[in-house]
Amino acid sequence: MSRHKPRRARRRQRERDAGVFLKFDNAGDARVRLEGITRREYERVQTLARAGDIHDPLIMKFIRAFARQVGHDIDAHPEGWTDAATIEFLRWLEFVPEGEWTALDDVEFASLAGGGS
């Protein structure tokens, strides 16, 4: 009997976190690959958006990755990135269902009403 550990099976290509590609309806076949974001992180960002957890560091990691791909440096602007900009960005990417009240709406309503999120 061998005392060596058996080799772990290689994961198939589709099981690997090969990155995230965003496709936009109005851009034909144009796709944007987000460097540094895995599929799991992308799915987690969607979950966080639906939960209204816009202050999770993964949300900003995702936003910065997207901004880099379109040639924008968020940190270079003195006014900074706001909660309202985060909410609008997540809506623009359709991370929350349109026409349905979600926790993201609760966060937006609280900020409009002068409360914290």
Side-chain angles (χ1 to χ4, degrees):
M1 177 177 238
S2 174
R3 292 181 186 250
H4 297 288
K5 289 183 181 179
R7 286 182 80 178
R8 290 188 347 183
R10 292 185 183 194
R11 293 191 308 176
R12 289 179 276 175
Q13 180 64 28
R14 71 175 190 268
E15 294 175 339
R16 294 182 190 148
D17 282 328
V20 174
F21 291 88
L22 299 178
K23 185 174 179 181
F24 296 93
D25 292 337
N26 298 337
D29 289 333
R31 295 185 334 162
V32 175
R33 183 175 194 279
L34 295 183
E35 297 290 330
I37 299 292
T38 66
R39 280 186 237 149
R40 288 182 184 151
E41 287 174 323
Y42 177 76
E43 290 165 2
R44 179 78 179 129
V45 168
Q46 289 177 316
T47 301
L48 291 167
R50 285 189 296 272
D53 194 0
I54 63 170
H55 295 112
D56 189 284
L58 186 56
I59 296 279
M60 279 311 295
K61 178 183 176 184
F62 177 80
I63 292 171
R64 282 187 174 93
F66 185 89
R68 275 192 307 274
Q69 289 303 109
V70 297
H72 184 70
D73 183 7
I74 290 175
D75 299 320
H77 299 282
E79 65 274 3
W81 187 264
T82 65
D83 287 354
T86 299
I87 290 167
E88 199 55 39
F89 179 75
L90 295 171
R91 284 186 202 280
W92 178 66
L93 289 177
E94 299 175 352
F95 281 5
V96 292
E98 189 175 338
E100 194 176 304
W101 192 271
T102 65
L104 194 60
D105 295 297
D106 290 336
V107 172
E108 184 175 30
F109 184 74
S111 69
L112 290 172
S117 55

